Amino acid sequence: MLQTVGEWIWWDRLWLPGNLSWSALEDKEGRVYAKVSHLYASLPCALCLLVVRYLFERYFATPLANFWGIRDKIRLPAEQNPILEKYFCSQTRVPSQADVWSLCKKTGWPERRVQVWFRRRRNQERPGLRKRFSEASWRCAFYLFAFFGGILALYDKPWVYNLREVWAGFPKQSLLPSQYWYYMLEMGFYLSLVFSLTFDVKRKDFKEQVVHHMATLTLLSFSWISNFVRIGTLVMVVHDSSDILLEGAKVFNYATWQQTSNGMFVVFAVVFMVTRLIVFPFWLIHCTWVYPLELYPAFFGYYFFNVMLLVLQLLHLYWAALILRMVYKFIFTQVGLQMSLCPCIN
């Protein structure tokens, strides 16, 4: 039965155009093609990146935080109270007014004391400033490295300057070493983010981040298997370009370099709008939606890939609304961007 399911999942007509079969993508005559087995390398890559991240945060980010005088705020701990602790862990962190009155009766505490307890208990769960600084520093460093690595891998490729070249000879496009390492690096990074979700800073858009990571990994995996590698590299470099600026703005925000942080955030907002709301939908999605049909009739993999790109685009629109709201507050209310930079927009 498992063999039958596997044959159905990997049915040629699902993932490849026309009458092509997987045998057409077997290595021969010096041409190497992307294979499913290559994706296994992303797991050790993710584990290596977790180790590199640990070393980076301990031996670079922490000393840098000390040098810039970044300190965690001293927070008063919540009083010991088994009843409130049980409610906090099993029910909700933010009780309603009716729940507060009920807890007052159970504990014998006045309303104000219960409210203070919950506020202090929530503060205990919040990550410290140094942890947020270390995490933002790591992401900024990785995105910077990945972006320039992507530029080096793509700058001399014809499909960067003529998107029709993305589909020239598709799917029989030989895999380049630079494409392999760029993919494994990016897949390893997003896989490491999934592994670290439990101990990373929990942000307001946590659920959106999980959707983003899973959609990204699905897109990368599918584009690799079906040899959509050229368009995959373009999607990655477009995304990395704005992520550097956001994480850099966070780093300077935590270091209280407010003018630098504000300026970098404004630049980030412009780059985000251009790359995610103009380049991504009107160049890249157009490239994947229109040009393949000039060569082959639509097939399942064509629809699947484009639907996943649209999922990313919906997330872009959501984050763009958050960014515009932050910029509006900054410009028209003269409120700094300290609090605005808290959500992780990726």
Side-chain angles (χ1 to χ4, degrees):
M1 180 178 177
L2 291 177
Q3 182 178 358
T4 303
V5 173
E7 290 175 355
W8 185 85
I9 291 175
W10 296 110
W11 186 29
D12 305 357
R13 297 298 297 275
L14 284 179
W15 307 110
L16 296 177
N19 295 319
L20 291 173
S21 64
W22 293 113
S23 60
L25 298 181
E26 293 179 356
D27 297 347
K28 55 186 175 182
E29 299 178 358
R31 297 176 67 88
V32 179
Y33 299 102
K35 300 179 181 64
V36 177
S37 58
H38 291 158
L39 297 179
Y40 298 145
S42 63
L43 179 58
C45 184
L47 298 177
C48 288
L49 283 174
L50 288 174
V51 174
V52 172
R53 173 181 174 176
Y54 171 78
L55 296 174
F56 177 90
E57 291 184 357
R58 180 168 183 177
Y59 295 107
F60 180 80
T62 299
L64 185 60
N66 293 334
F67 177 76
W68 280 345
I70 299 174
R71 299 286 183 270
D72 290 332
K73 294 181 179 179
I74 299 176
R75 296 167 178 162
L76 296 175
E79 302 176 63
Q80 294 293 328
N81 189 303
I83 296 176
L84 297 182
E85 183 67 27
K86 181 179 179 180
Y87 186 90
F88 181 88
C89 295
S90 62
Q91 299 295 325
T92 179
R93 296 183 174 191
V94 185
S96 64
Q97 188 61 46
D99 292 332
V100 170
W101 291 337
S102 175
L103 291 170
C104 288
K105 294 178 182 179
K106 292 180 180 179
T107 60
W109 285 10
E111 179 181 335
R112 176 62 179 170
R113 189 176 179 184
V114 171
Q115 292 173 340
V116 170
W117 187 94
F118 273 95
R119 185 175 69 251
R120 291 180 177 178
R121 184 65 180 83
R122 287 194 298 270
N123 286 337
Q124 288 179 212
E125 298 288 310
R126 295 178 60 189
L129 191 62
R130 290 169 67 88
K131 177 177 175 57
R132 285 181 284 169
F133 173 82
S134 296
E135 184 176 312
S137 299
W138 161 246
R139 295 192 183 200
C140 182
F142 175 84
Y143 289 134
L144 185 66
F145 178 82
F147 176 71
F148 283 104
I151 293 297
L152 288 175
L154 292 171
Y155 79 96
D156 59 344
K157 305 300 186 293
W159 56 85
V160 176
Y161 310 100
N162 181 6
L163 290 178
R164 291 185 183 274
E165 290 293 323
V166 166
W167 306 105
F170 175 83
K172 296 182 179 181
Q173 297 170 337
S174 186
L175 179 66
L176 303 175
S178 59
Q179 293 173 325
Y180 173 83
W181 288 111
Y182 189 31
Y183 252 81
M184 292 305 108
L185 182 67
E186 290 277 358
M187 287 197 68
F189 176 70
Y190 283 104
L191 196 57
S192 72
L193 292 183
V194 173
F195 292 157
S196 62
L197 279 173
T198 54
F199 58 84
D200 277 347
V201 175
K202 295 291 190 301
R203 295 179 173 85
K204 296 178 181 178
D205 61 347
F206 175 78
K207 294 181 180 179
E208 290 80 4
Q209 283 293 307
V210 173
V211 173
H212 175 270
H213 297 341
M214 299 311 298
T216 301
L217 286 171
T218 302
L219 263 174
L220 291 176
S221 300
F222 168 75
S223 64
W224 183 264
I225 294 168
S226 298
N227 213 20
F228 284 33
V229 175
R230 291 183 179 180
I231 189 63
T233 54
L234 295 178
V235 170
M236 289 188 292
V237 78
V238 164
H239 279 71
D240 289 340
S241 61
S242 60
D243 292 336
I244 305 167
L245 297 167
L246 174 64
E247 299 302 333
K250 289 181 180 180
V251 168
F252 289 114
N253 179 59
Y254 298 143
T256 65
W257 290 31
Q258 206 54 52
Q259 293 298 321
T260 304
S261 175
N262 291 349
M264 188 170 288
F265 182 82
V266 171
V267 176
F268 155 75
V270 173
V271 173
F272 185 95
M273 298 301 170
V274 171
T275 57
R276 307 289 182 97
L277 301 187
I278 299 177
V279 174
F280 186 75
F282 296 109
W283 268 265
L284 300 187
I285 293 183
H286 179 267
C287 173
T288 62
W289 196 271
V290 176
Y291 297 159
L293 298 182
E294 298 176 356
L295 303 173
Y296 299 100
F299 57 103
F300 175 79
Y302 163 84
Y303 291 115
F304 181 82
F305 188 69
N306 280 290
V307 166
M308 295 307 297
L309 289 179
L310 290 176
V311 170
L312 279 185
Q313 186 57 35
L314 289 176
L315 289 173
H316 296 165
L317 293 172
Y318 169 78
W319 284 317
L322 292 181
I323 294 170
L324 291 175
R325 186 174 65 181
M326 297 172 198
V327 173
Y328 176 84
K329 290 181 179 179
F330 174 61
I331 295 176
F332 295 100
T333 65
Q334 298 300 311
V335 176
L337 292 173
Q338 298 96 319
M339 297 306 295
S340 297
L341 289 170
C342 291
C344 178
I345 304 163
N346 193 9

